[in-house]
Amino acid sequence: MPALLLIAHGSRDPRHAATVAALVRQVRAQRPGLEVATAYLDHCAPRIPQVVGRLDDAVAVPLLLNRAFHAKHDIPAALRAAGAALPVADVLGPSPLLLTALDRRLAEAGLDVRSAAVRARTGVVLAAAGSSDPAADAATRAVAAAWRRTRGWAAVEVAYASASGPRVPDALAALRAAGAERTAVAPYLVAPGLLPDRIAAAASGADTVADTLGPAPELAALLLERYDEARRAARAVPALTA
């Protein structure tokens, strides 16, 4: 069975690597016996060339929510530079599992997400990193629309911690203007760091502020789902060309 090579972005903030390690433990617990290795694009060790050389067979799974520059360019380039012709799984989003993970973090922050009445009175800010890639931002807006449609929130607004606006305070103001009685901020980010801290600081006016997705069991299940999809696709290619 190929190993799962989890490729994370990396950060100077030690909480990032600690969160990735906790997520890897979740993946291993959900699929005992599967070899799981971790490599980083930047800031943290080990880097991709240090890891791929010791793996006999692997599927690379990006720890990325959207298909933006890192997924389209950085990861393929890093694998090529390391001489690794590995199957690369799709990014994590969109997926219903991410919506469930967002619900989990809001519930842990004290919001009664199981109550339809509470959801109908609550407006949520989906606070993402932001990207210069219009397709990536469009994907985040699609996640927000699906979250509102499937959960019955009063409204869901998207805000960004970097790139262009809107920012979290703008989104909170829009929710209140739309009639939301309560407001919540849910970071659409995997691990703690500079951008989540920026979101938390800007969310002081919200009634509820959730944590990052972190080592949520839904995120671990989604990584395994993407691994399985890429593995099946890789097996299908030789069969089609035989």
Side-chain angles (χ1 to χ4, degrees):
M1 181 185 298
L4 189 160
L5 173 59
L6 182 66
I7 300 181
H9 181 270
S11 170
R12 293 184 180 89
D13 190 319
R15 295 174 296 171
H16 179 91
T19 299
V20 173
L23 182 56
V24 166
R25 288 193 293 272
Q26 277 277 357
V27 172
R28 288 172 175 153
Q30 290 188 23
R31 191 166 298 181
L34 174 64
E35 182 182 3
V36 184
T38 304
Y40 293 92
L41 280 173
D42 203 1
H43 302 303
C44 299
R47 301 292 180 84
I48 290 173
Q50 297 172 282
V51 178
V52 294
R54 64 177 177 79
L55 297 175
D56 294 329
D57 188 16
V59 173
V61 183
L63 186 56
L64 299 171
L65 297 174
N66 279 339
R67 188 167 177 75
F69 191 83
H70 293 313
K72 293 177 180 178
H73 301 284
D74 288 347
I75 288 177
L79 288 169
R80 284 195 303 271
L86 303 181
V88 180
D90 200 359
V91 295
L92 299 179
S95 168
L97 286 168
L98 289 174
L99 303 184
T100 304
L102 289 164
D103 289 344
R104 173 186 293 276
R105 294 301 183 229
L106 283 173
E108 290 170 350
L111 186 64
D112 185 4
V113 300
R114 294 186 177 183
S115 168
V118 169
R119 296 196 304 272
R121 295 194 299 268
T122 303
V124 184
V125 177
L126 185 68
S131 173
S132 58
D133 187 327
D137 285 344
T140 300
R141 291 193 298 272
V143 169
W147 200 20
R148 182 184 185 183
R149 183 179 65 252
T150 59
R151 302 304 196 266
W153 299 112
V156 178
E157 294 282 341
V158 173
Y160 300 111
S162 64
S164 59
R167 298 288 192 251
V168 170
D170 303 321
L172 288 170
L175 291 173
R176 295 188 186 99
E181 297 176 22
R182 293 181 55 85
T183 57
V185 175
Y188 191 52
L189 295 159
V190 171
L194 176 63
L195 296 184
D197 287 350
R198 188 180 295 170
I199 288 169
S204 58
D207 297 299
T208 304
V209 182
D211 201 354
T212 55
L213 294 169
E218 296 84 5
L219 205 61
L222 184 51
L223 287 167
L224 288 167
E225 186 175 296
R226 296 292 185 250
Y227 164 85
D228 290 337
E229 291 167 353
R231 189 181 172 204
R232 286 194 297 269
R235 288 202 305 262
V237 170
L240 290 171
T241 56

